[in-house]
Amino acid sequence: MAEENTIYIGKKATMNYVLAVVSQLNSGCEGVCIKARGRAISRAVDVAEIVRNRFAQGLNYHDVKIATESLPGHDGTNANVSSIEIYLSK
Amino acid sequence: MAEENTIYIGKKATMNYVLAVVSQLNSGCEGVCIKARGRAISRAVDVAEIVRNRFAQGLNYHDVKIATESLPGHDGTNANVSSIEIYLSK
């Protein structure tokens, strides 16, 4: 999936991301990828479910991928953080 | 998958659940299901990744399911909560 169809979930309110996903879909994309790391993972799942149940009923989960990313921490060591990628498509 | 192979993720420390999953696997189960709701979803993903990367290298994601559950709230109305089910198998 093209990089521009990816929505990264951060610390903003859930509905901001819902709006971003819905706009992406309305611009003619066949699908979107929702990505999140760490504690934003539960928000990513919320975003996907709200979009599916309220805004885009025909949308289905194409794939859900779980992985671990190694990020450099403040003290120079690496911290492992879980990540999720949710692929939604029409 | 049988109900007894399911680990429910709550508010305890992540490693408690990792231990529960590893014990379940060591007792001869072919796979486990990790379930969580709401903010525990990110912890569920952490548990699955720690088990896979550190304790049971041969384990793979069989399926990851995302859904919405409607729970009765304090004021009698229903609250929608996202949930995740992560199926790990050998």
Side-chain angles (χ1 to χ4, degrees), chain A residues 38 46 49 53 61 66 68 82, chain B residues 42 46 49 53 61 66 68 82:
Chain A
D46 287 344
E49 278 295 300
N53 294 330
Y61 291 113
I66 287 172
T68 300
S82 302
Chain B
S42 37
D46 287 343
E49 278 295 302
N53 293 330
Y61 291 114
I66 288 173
T68 300
S82 303

Side-chain angles (χ1 to χ4, degrees), chain A residues 1-81:
Chain A
M1 187 172 294
E3 187 69 19
E4 61 263 28
N5 297 347
T6 302
I7 311 283
Y8 290 91
I9 308 297
K11 290 181 177 178
K12 290 185 200 165
T14 305
M15 292 315 276
N16 291 29
Y17 300 109
V18 170
L19 188 67
V21 174
V22 172
S23 321
Q24 196 68 261
L25 290 169
N26 286 345
S27 74
C29 294
E30 279 302 296
V32 286
C33 171
I34 299 170
K35 286 191 188 184
R37 278 199 293 234
R39 275 190 279 179
I41 288 176
S42 36
R43 186 168 297 129
V45 173
D46 287 344
V47 170
E49 278 295 300
I50 292 171
V51 170
R52 269 191 70 223
N53 294 330
R54 283 205 239 160
F55 297 98
Q57 256 91 27
L59 221 58
N60 283 307
Y61 291 113
H62 183 67
D63 199 4
V64 180
K65 283 184 194 163
I66 287 172
T68 300
E69 292 181 23
S70 193
L71 301 177
H74 292 296
D75 53 355
T77 59
N78 279 349
N80 289 328
V81 180

Side-chain angles (χ1 to χ4, degrees), chain B residues 2-75:
Chain B
E3 187 69 19
E4 62 264 30
N5 297 347
T6 302
I7 311 283
Y8 291 90
I9 307 296
K11 291 181 177 178
K12 290 184 201 164
T14 305
M15 291 315 277
N16 291 30
Y17 301 108
V18 170
L19 188 67
V21 173
V22 172
S23 322
Q24 196 69 261
L25 290 169
N26 286 344
S27 74
C29 294
E30 278 302 294
V32 287
C33 171
I34 299 170
K35 286 191 188 184
R37 277 201 293 236
R39 275 189 279 178
I41 288 176
S42 37
R43 186 169 297 130
V45 172
D46 287 343
V47 170
E49 278 295 302
I50 291 171
V51 170
R52 269 191 71 224
N53 293 330
R54 282 204 241 160
F55 296 99
Q57 256 91 27
L59 221 57
N60 283 308
Y61 291 114
H62 183 67
D63 200 5
V64 180
K65 283 184 195 164
I66 288 173
T68 300
E69 291 181 24
S70 193
L71 302 175
H74 293 296
D75 53 354

